[in-house]
Amino acid sequence: MSVAPVKFQARESIEQVEEGHDLAPKFDDRGLITVVTTDADSGELLMQGYMNAEALALTIKTGEAHYFSRSRQVLWHKGATSGFVQTVRELLVDDDQDCIWLRVEVAGGASCHVGYRSCFYRRVPVGDEFNASAADGQVDLQWTDTEKVFDPEEVYGDAPNPTQL
Amino acid sequence: MSVAPVKFQARESIEQVEEGHDLAPKFDDRGLITVVTTDADSGELLMQGYMNAEALALTIKTGEAHYFSRSRQVLWHKGATSGFVQTVRELLVDDDQDCIWLRVEVAGGASCHVGYRSCFYRRVPVGDEFNASAADGQVDLQWTDTEKVFDPEEVYGDAPNPTQL
C-alpha cells in the first residue's frame, strides 16, 4: 500500500465544497459522516452506515468498505467477521460533502446482519395503498425479500446483536 | 385524504423491530430518522435527508416525499419551491428501523439544490486508482455529471444556500 495518507481539506467556502475538486468532508459532532451503500450492479440499497475519518481514509486507500460501528464504537472492516467484504467500485460524495455513496460488490452477496441480502427487506404501503388498507392508521409491513442468504447464528455466533431499541 | 393518522408502534423487542410487521421507527435524540432517496427507475442515489415523525407520517399518507430540513428547522415538502416533487413508488425500512429508503419518481428530474439531477455528481478515486494518482495523498474529485438540469438562481432566487460549512 502506498505510504501517503489520505488528506482531507478544510471547509472554506460553499463554492469550494459544492463546486470544487477538494475532498472536504463534513464530520458531525460525533466525528461521523453518513454512508449510503448500494449494490453496484442492481442499484439496490444494501445498508446505511457511518464512517469516521479513519474509516473513510482506509476505504479510499484499500478500496474495501470500512465503517465506524456506533453500537460497538470501533472501526469496522465490513466482512471481517462474516466474510462479506464490500469491494468499492465507486465512491461518490454529495453536494455539501456530508454524505458518502458507496457502490459496491459484495462477496457472498449479503450485507444485513439479520441474514438478508439487503437491510431493506420490508416495505410500508404509502398513499392510496395505505389509506385504503389502514383505516385505523396501523401500518402492516410487507416483506419484499423472504429468503435469508445466511444463518446469522452460524456466522456471528454469540456476538451481541447490533440493533438498539 | 383519510382521517386516520399514521400510527407508529413502540419499540419493544429486537424480534419485533427486525422480524415483525410493526412500523416502529427509531428517531434519534433530535427526533429525526435518516432517509435515503433513489430514483425508482435508474437506481441512482438522488439525495440523503432526514424526516421527523410528522414528515414520515405525511409521506406515508400522501405518497409524496416530505423531509425535515435541518438547516431551516422546518417540515419540508420537497418540491414546494422548486416544483421537483418526489412521488414515492416504494418506501422501505431497514432491519433496525433507523433508516427509510424512498424509491421515487421526480417531476422535472432534479433533486439537488446545486442544479444537478442527483446530489452525488462527484467521485473520489479509490484503491489502486487513488494510490497511483495521489502520491501526496491529495484527493482530486472527478465530475460524473457536468450538466445542470436547472439554474438554481432562477428557481431559488435569494433563498439562503442550505449548505453549512
Side-chain angles (χ1 to χ4, degrees), chain A residues 8-82:
Chain A
F8 302 133
Q9 305 302 313
R11 295 167 65 86
E12 285 163 357
S13 72
I14 288 176
E15 190 183 353
Q16 170 219 21
V17 166
E18 292 187 346
E19 308 262 13
H21 286 260
D22 286 354
L23 179 59
K26 185 177 177 72
F27 296 100
D28 66 15
D29 48 17
R30 303 164 298 183
L32 302 179
I33 190 166
T34 301
V35 182
V36 173
T37 305
T38 61
D39 184 296
D41 288 319
S42 72
E44 186 180 23
L45 179 58
L46 296 174
M47 56 178 283
Q48 181 268 314
Y50 297 88
M51 290 176 177
N52 61 2
E54 184 184 8
L56 178 54
L58 279 169
T59 302
I60 292 172
K61 291 288 286 184
T62 66
E64 292 185 352
H66 291 68
Y67 300 91
F68 184 81
S69 165
R70 290 180 307 163
S71 57
R72 292 180 286 136
Q73 290 284 308
V74 291
L75 182 76
W76 169 30
H77 181 192
K78 177 75 178 170
T81 301
S82 66

Side-chain angles (χ1 to χ4, degrees), chain B residues 32-39 45-59 62 64-70 72-80 84-88 100-106 111 119:
Chain B
L32 302 180
I33 189 166
T34 300
V35 182
V36 173
T37 305
T38 62
D39 184 295
L45 179 58
L46 296 175
M47 56 179 283
Q48 181 269 315
Y50 297 89
M51 289 176 177
N52 61 2
E54 185 184 9
L56 178 54
L58 278 168
T59 302
T62 66
E64 292 184 350
H66 292 67
Y67 300 91
F68 184 81
S69 165
R70 290 180 306 164
R72 291 180 286 136
Q73 290 284 308
V74 292
L75 182 75
W76 169 30
H77 181 192
K78 177 74 178 171
F84 304 137
V85 168
Q86 296 177 341
T87 301
V88 179
I100 298 291
W101 176 17
L102 298 184
R103 297 181 58 231
V104 304
E105 296 161 30
V106 187
S111 289
C119 295

Side-chain angles (χ1 to χ4, degrees), chain B residues 133-147:
Chain B
S133 67
D136 59 353
Q138 188 89 13
V139 175
D140 186 37
L141 297 179
Q142 298 166 353
W143 260 247
T144 57
D145 186 1
T146 52
E147 192 182 349

Side-chain angles (χ1 to χ4, degrees), chain B residues 63-137:
Chain B
E64 292 184 350
H66 292 67
Y67 300 91
F68 184 81
S69 165
R70 290 180 306 164
S71 57
R72 291 180 286 136
Q73 290 284 308
V74 292
L75 182 75
W76 169 30
H77 181 192
K78 177 74 178 171
T81 301
S82 66
F84 304 137
V85 168
Q86 296 177 341
T87 301
V88 179
R89 199 189 289 172
E90 196 167 46
L91 189 162
L92 298 104
V93 66
D94 73 337
D95 42 24
D96 61 352
Q97 301 203 26
D98 70 352
C99 186
I100 298 291
W101 176 17
L102 298 184
R103 297 181 58 231
V104 304
E105 296 161 30
V106 187
S111 289
C112 170
H113 75 277
V114 180
Y116 296 104
R117 204 156 47 88
S118 159
C119 295
F120 296 81
Y121 47 82
R122 289 171 299 181
R123 65 190 282 277
V124 178
V126 299
D128 291 344
E129 189 187 350
F130 171 79
N131 293 312
S133 67
D136 59 353

Side-chain angles (χ1 to χ4, degrees), chain A residues 100-151:
Chain A
I100 298 290
W101 176 17
L102 298 184
R103 297 180 57 231
V104 304
E105 296 160 31
V106 187
S111 290
C112 170
H113 75 275
V114 180
Y116 296 104
R117 205 155 46 87
S118 160
C119 296
F120 296 81
Y121 46 83
R122 292 171 297 181
R123 63 190 283 279
V124 177
V126 298
D128 291 345
E129 188 187 349
F130 171 80
N131 292 312
S133 68
D136 59 354
Q138 187 90 11
V139 174
D140 186 36
L141 296 179
Q142 299 167 352
W143 260 249
T144 56
D145 186 1
T146 53
E147 192 183 346
K148 293 196 181 184
V149 180
F150 69 96
D151 178 348

